[in-house]
Amino acid sequence: MFKKILAVLALVGVFASVAGCNTVDGVGKDLGVAGAATSDTARDVGKKM
């Protein structure tokens, strides 16, 4: 469970660094994507429990 969440967060971090947000708008979008990925992972884990 924890490994899956950590893997998703690491993947989002890699994508964010590759994308290279240059504006506040870009940072906000990246944070939104990270939040959505975290929520999706938590929902998946909750279904398995």
Side-chain angles (χ1 to χ4, degrees), residues 5-48:
I5 293 171
L6 186 60
V8 169
L9 291 176
L11 187 61
V12 170
V14 168
F15 284 171
S17 67
V18 170
C21 299
N22 293 326
T23 65
V24 174
D25 184 45
V27 172
K29 288 179 183 178
D30 286 344
L31 290 176
V33 170
T38 304
S39 295
D40 291 344
T41 302
R43 191 175 308 113
D44 290 344
V45 170
K47 287 180 182 178
K48 290 182 181 180

